[in-house]
Short mmCIF file of all heavy atoms in Angstrom, two decimals:
data_model
loop_
_atom_site.label_atom_id
_atom_site.label_comp_id
_atom_site.label_asym_id
_atom_site.label_seq_id
_atom_site.Cartn_x
_atom_site.Cartn_y
_atom_site.Cartn_z
N ALA A 286 -15.39 -16.62 2.98
CA ALA A 286 -14.78 -15.61 2.15
C ALA A 286 -14.36 -16.04 0.70
O ALA A 286 -14.30 -15.20 -0.12
CB ALA A 286 -13.55 -15.05 2.83
N LEU A 287 -14.17 -17.32 0.47
CA LEU A 287 -13.68 -17.75 -0.81
C LEU A 287 -14.66 -18.16 -1.87
O LEU A 287 -14.30 -18.17 -3.08
CB LEU A 287 -12.54 -18.81 -0.59
CG LEU A 287 -11.40 -18.27 0.29
CD1 LEU A 287 -10.42 -19.42 0.41
CD2 LEU A 287 -10.80 -17.06 -0.26
N PRO A 288 -15.80 -18.59 -1.60
CA PRO A 288 -16.80 -18.96 -2.65
C PRO A 288 -17.03 -17.95 -3.75
O PRO A 288 -17.11 -18.19 -4.90
CB PRO A 288 -18.12 -19.36 -1.93
CG PRO A 288 -17.67 -19.77 -0.62
CD PRO A 288 -16.46 -18.83 -0.32
N LEU A 289 -17.20 -16.64 -3.33
CA LEU A 289 -17.50 -15.61 -4.37
C LEU A 289 -16.25 -15.39 -5.28
O LEU A 289 -16.49 -15.46 -6.52
CB LEU A 289 -17.86 -14.30 -3.62
CG LEU A 289 -18.27 -13.14 -4.53
CD1 LEU A 289 -19.49 -13.52 -5.38
CD2 LEU A 289 -18.59 -11.88 -3.72
N PRO A 290 -15.00 -15.18 -4.82
CA PRO A 290 -13.96 -15.01 -5.73
C PRO A 290 -13.72 -16.32 -6.55
O PRO A 290 -13.32 -16.20 -7.77
CB PRO A 290 -12.73 -14.71 -4.86
CG PRO A 290 -13.13 -14.85 -3.46
CD PRO A 290 -14.67 -14.92 -3.37
N LEU A 291 -14.00 -17.44 -5.99
CA LEU A 291 -13.82 -18.78 -6.76
C LEU A 291 -14.87 -18.76 -7.90
O LEU A 291 -14.51 -19.14 -9.05
CB LEU A 291 -14.04 -19.93 -5.87
CG LEU A 291 -13.86 -21.26 -6.50
CD1 LEU A 291 -12.47 -21.46 -7.05
CD2 LEU A 291 -14.21 -22.37 -5.41
N THR A 292 -16.06 -18.38 -7.62
CA THR A 292 -17.15 -18.32 -8.73
C THR A 292 -16.77 -17.25 -9.78
O THR A 292 -16.83 -17.58 -10.96
CB THR A 292 -18.51 -17.90 -8.02
OG1 THR A 292 -18.84 -18.87 -7.05
CG2 THR A 292 -19.56 -17.88 -9.13
N PHE A 293 -16.29 -16.12 -9.38
CA PHE A 293 -15.82 -15.09 -10.34
C PHE A 293 -14.67 -15.62 -11.17
O PHE A 293 -14.57 -15.38 -12.35
CB PHE A 293 -15.50 -13.72 -9.65
CG PHE A 293 -16.63 -12.96 -9.16
CD1 PHE A 293 -16.51 -12.14 -8.08
CD2 PHE A 293 -17.89 -13.06 -9.79
CE1 PHE A 293 -17.56 -11.37 -7.63
CE2 PHE A 293 -18.96 -12.37 -9.30
CZ PHE A 293 -18.80 -11.46 -8.23
N GLY A 294 -13.75 -16.33 -10.48
CA GLY A 294 -12.62 -16.86 -11.19
C GLY A 294 -13.01 -17.90 -12.22
O GLY A 294 -12.47 -17.96 -13.38
N ILE A 295 -13.99 -18.73 -11.95
CA ILE A 295 -14.45 -19.74 -12.90
C ILE A 295 -15.12 -19.07 -14.09
O ILE A 295 -14.91 -19.35 -15.25
CB ILE A 295 -15.46 -20.77 -12.19
CG1 ILE A 295 -14.61 -21.64 -11.23
CG2 ILE A 295 -16.27 -21.58 -13.28
CD1 ILE A 295 -15.50 -22.48 -10.28
N LEU A 296 -15.90 -17.99 -13.78
CA LEU A 296 -16.52 -17.25 -14.84
C LEU A 296 -15.53 -16.51 -15.68
O LEU A 296 -15.71 -16.43 -16.94
CB LEU A 296 -17.60 -16.25 -14.27
CG LEU A 296 -18.76 -16.93 -13.57
CD1 LEU A 296 -19.67 -15.87 -12.88
CD2 LEU A 296 -19.63 -17.71 -14.56
N TRP A 297 -14.50 -15.98 -15.13
CA TRP A 297 -13.38 -15.31 -15.82
C TRP A 297 -12.77 -16.33 -16.78
O TRP A 297 -12.43 -15.97 -17.92
CB TRP A 297 -12.45 -14.79 -14.80
CG TRP A 297 -11.14 -14.23 -15.27
CD1 TRP A 297 -10.87 -13.73 -16.53
CD2 TRP A 297 -9.91 -14.03 -14.58
NE1 TRP A 297 -9.59 -13.28 -16.65
CE2 TRP A 297 -9.02 -13.41 -15.41
CE3 TRP A 297 -9.55 -14.32 -13.30
CZ2 TRP A 297 -7.69 -13.10 -14.98
CZ3 TRP A 297 -8.31 -13.95 -12.78
CH2 TRP A 297 -7.38 -13.41 -13.64
N ALA A 298 -12.54 -17.53 -16.36
CA ALA A 298 -11.88 -18.48 -17.15
C ALA A 298 -12.74 -19.12 -18.27
O ALA A 298 -12.23 -19.60 -19.28
CB ALA A 298 -11.33 -19.64 -16.32
N THR A 299 -14.04 -19.10 -18.07
CA THR A 299 -14.90 -19.82 -18.97
C THR A 299 -15.83 -18.94 -19.90
O THR A 299 -16.37 -19.47 -20.85
CB THR A 299 -15.85 -20.74 -18.23
OG1 THR A 299 -16.64 -20.01 -17.32
CG2 THR A 299 -15.03 -21.81 -17.50
N ILE A 300 -15.88 -17.66 -19.66
CA ILE A 300 -16.76 -16.80 -20.53
C ILE A 300 -15.84 -15.72 -21.15
O ILE A 300 -15.69 -14.61 -20.57
CB ILE A 300 -17.92 -16.21 -19.77
CG1 ILE A 300 -18.73 -17.36 -19.09
CG2 ILE A 300 -18.83 -15.41 -20.73
CD1 ILE A 300 -19.83 -16.80 -18.20
N THR A 303 -16.60 -11.76 -21.26
CA THR A 303 -16.69 -11.04 -19.91
C THR A 303 -15.43 -11.17 -19.15
O THR A 303 -15.43 -10.83 -17.89
CB THR A 303 -17.88 -11.63 -19.12
OG1 THR A 303 -17.62 -13.01 -18.86
CG2 THR A 303 -19.16 -11.43 -19.83
N ARG A 304 -14.34 -11.56 -19.74
CA ARG A 304 -13.09 -11.77 -18.96
C ARG A 304 -12.62 -10.53 -18.20
O ARG A 304 -12.17 -10.69 -17.05
CB ARG A 304 -12.00 -12.31 -19.89
CG ARG A 304 -12.16 -13.72 -20.17
CD ARG A 304 -10.87 -14.47 -20.54
NE ARG A 304 -11.16 -15.86 -20.53
CZ ARG A 304 -10.90 -16.68 -21.58
NH1 ARG A 304 -10.35 -16.14 -22.67
NH2 ARG A 304 -11.12 -17.97 -21.51
N THR A 305 -12.69 -9.36 -18.87
CA THR A 305 -12.18 -8.27 -18.11
C THR A 305 -12.99 -7.97 -16.86
O THR A 305 -12.45 -7.71 -15.79
CB THR A 305 -12.17 -7.02 -19.08
OG1 THR A 305 -11.37 -7.30 -20.23
CG2 THR A 305 -11.70 -5.74 -18.39
N PHE A 306 -14.29 -8.00 -17.01
CA PHE A 306 -15.17 -7.69 -15.88
C PHE A 306 -14.89 -8.77 -14.72
O PHE A 306 -14.68 -8.37 -13.59
CB PHE A 306 -16.60 -7.77 -16.25
CG PHE A 306 -17.53 -7.74 -15.07
CD1 PHE A 306 -17.80 -6.49 -14.46
CD2 PHE A 306 -18.17 -8.82 -14.56
CE1 PHE A 306 -18.68 -6.45 -13.33
CE2 PHE A 306 -18.95 -8.83 -13.44
CZ PHE A 306 -19.23 -7.60 -12.87
N PHE A 307 -14.91 -10.05 -15.08
CA PHE A 307 -14.74 -11.04 -14.06
C PHE A 307 -13.30 -11.16 -13.53
O PHE A 307 -13.15 -11.58 -12.38
CB PHE A 307 -15.19 -12.44 -14.56
CG PHE A 307 -16.70 -12.56 -14.56
CD1 PHE A 307 -17.36 -12.78 -15.75
CD2 PHE A 307 -17.47 -12.33 -13.40
CE1 PHE A 307 -18.82 -12.90 -15.73
CE2 PHE A 307 -18.79 -12.47 -13.32
CZ PHE A 307 -19.52 -12.75 -14.50
N MET A 308 -12.29 -10.67 -14.27
CA MET A 308 -10.98 -10.55 -13.72
C MET A 308 -10.94 -9.56 -12.53
O MET A 308 -10.44 -9.81 -11.46
CB MET A 308 -9.94 -10.13 -14.79
CG MET A 308 -8.57 -9.86 -14.20
SD MET A 308 -7.45 -9.02 -15.36
CE MET A 308 -8.15 -7.40 -15.39
N TRP A 309 -11.52 -8.38 -12.79
CA TRP A 309 -11.61 -7.39 -11.77
C TRP A 309 -12.47 -7.80 -10.57
O TRP A 309 -12.14 -7.61 -9.43
CB TRP A 309 -12.07 -5.99 -12.29
CG TRP A 309 -10.98 -5.33 -13.13
CD1 TRP A 309 -10.92 -5.22 -14.47
CD2 TRP A 309 -9.79 -4.82 -12.56
NE1 TRP A 309 -9.74 -4.56 -14.84
CE2 TRP A 309 -9.02 -4.36 -13.70
CE3 TRP A 309 -9.22 -4.75 -11.32
CZ2 TRP A 309 -7.75 -3.74 -13.57
CZ3 TRP A 309 -7.99 -4.12 -11.21
CH2 TRP A 309 -7.25 -3.69 -12.28
N ALA A 310 -13.62 -8.45 -10.91
CA ALA A 310 -14.52 -8.88 -9.82
C ALA A 310 -13.77 -9.99 -8.97
O ALA A 310 -13.92 -9.98 -7.77
CB ALA A 310 -15.74 -9.51 -10.49
N THR A 311 -12.97 -10.87 -9.59
CA THR A 311 -12.24 -11.83 -8.86
C THR A 311 -11.24 -11.15 -7.92
O THR A 311 -11.16 -11.47 -6.72
CB THR A 311 -11.46 -12.79 -9.83
OG1 THR A 311 -12.47 -13.42 -10.68
CG2 THR A 311 -10.64 -13.83 -9.10
N LEU A 312 -10.47 -10.22 -8.50
CA LEU A 312 -9.44 -9.56 -7.67
C LEU A 312 -10.08 -8.74 -6.55
O LEU A 312 -9.59 -8.77 -5.46
CB LEU A 312 -8.58 -8.70 -8.50
CG LEU A 312 -7.66 -9.47 -9.57
CD1 LEU A 312 -6.92 -8.49 -10.44
CD2 LEU A 312 -6.69 -10.34 -8.78
N ILE A 313 -11.15 -8.00 -6.87
CA ILE A 313 -11.75 -7.15 -5.85
C ILE A 313 -12.39 -7.93 -4.74
O ILE A 313 -12.38 -7.59 -3.54
CB ILE A 313 -12.84 -6.22 -6.56
CG1 ILE A 313 -12.08 -5.18 -7.35
CG2 ILE A 313 -13.75 -5.60 -5.50
CD1 ILE A 313 -12.97 -4.38 -8.33
N SER A 314 -12.89 -9.17 -5.05
CA SER A 314 -13.48 -10.00 -3.97
C SER A 314 -12.41 -10.87 -3.29
O SER A 314 -12.62 -11.25 -2.15
CB SER A 314 -14.60 -10.79 -4.56
OG SER A 314 -14.15 -11.73 -5.51
N LEU A 315 -11.37 -11.17 -3.97
CA LEU A 315 -10.28 -12.05 -3.43
C LEU A 315 -9.45 -11.37 -2.41
O LEU A 315 -9.15 -12.00 -1.38
CB LEU A 315 -9.43 -12.64 -4.60
CG LEU A 315 -8.45 -13.73 -4.16
CD1 LEU A 315 -9.17 -14.91 -3.59
CD2 LEU A 315 -7.64 -14.15 -5.39
N VAL A 316 -9.09 -10.17 -2.66
CA VAL A 316 -8.16 -9.42 -1.72
C VAL A 316 -8.76 -9.29 -0.29
O VAL A 316 -8.07 -9.71 0.70
CB VAL A 316 -7.70 -8.04 -2.29
CG1 VAL A 316 -6.95 -7.23 -1.27
CG2 VAL A 316 -6.87 -8.29 -3.57
N PRO A 317 -9.94 -8.78 -0.13
CA PRO A 317 -10.45 -8.78 1.23
C PRO A 317 -10.71 -10.12 1.78
O PRO A 317 -10.52 -10.36 2.99
CB PRO A 317 -11.72 -8.00 1.11
CG PRO A 317 -11.95 -7.69 -0.26
CD PRO A 317 -10.81 -8.15 -1.08
N GLY A 318 -11.05 -11.09 0.98
CA GLY A 318 -11.26 -12.45 1.48
C GLY A 318 -9.98 -13.00 2.01
O GLY A 318 -9.96 -13.74 3.09
N ILE A 319 -8.88 -12.87 1.35
CA ILE A 319 -7.56 -13.37 1.80
C ILE A 319 -7.14 -12.67 3.04
O ILE A 319 -6.62 -13.33 3.96
CB ILE A 319 -6.56 -13.29 0.66
CG1 ILE A 319 -6.79 -14.30 -0.47
CG2 ILE A 319 -5.12 -13.48 1.18
CD1 ILE A 319 -5.94 -14.15 -1.65
N LEU A 320 -7.37 -11.37 3.08
CA LEU A 320 -7.03 -10.64 4.34
C LEU A 320 -7.83 -11.21 5.54
O LEU A 320 -7.30 -11.31 6.64
CB LEU A 320 -7.24 -9.15 4.18
CG LEU A 320 -6.17 -8.43 3.32
CD1 LEU A 320 -6.65 -6.99 3.02
CD2 LEU A 320 -4.84 -8.45 4.03
#
Side-chain angles (χ1 to χ4, degrees):
L287 299 181
L289 184 62
L291 182 60
T292 301
F293 287 152
I295 291 168
L296 294 172
W297 173 21
T299 58
I300 306 175
T303 60
R304 282 206 169 125
T305 301
F306 172 78
F307 283 119
M308 174 193 68
W309 286 109
T311 301
L312 293 173
I313 289 169
S314 62
L315 186 60
V316 170
I319 288 174
L320 285 171

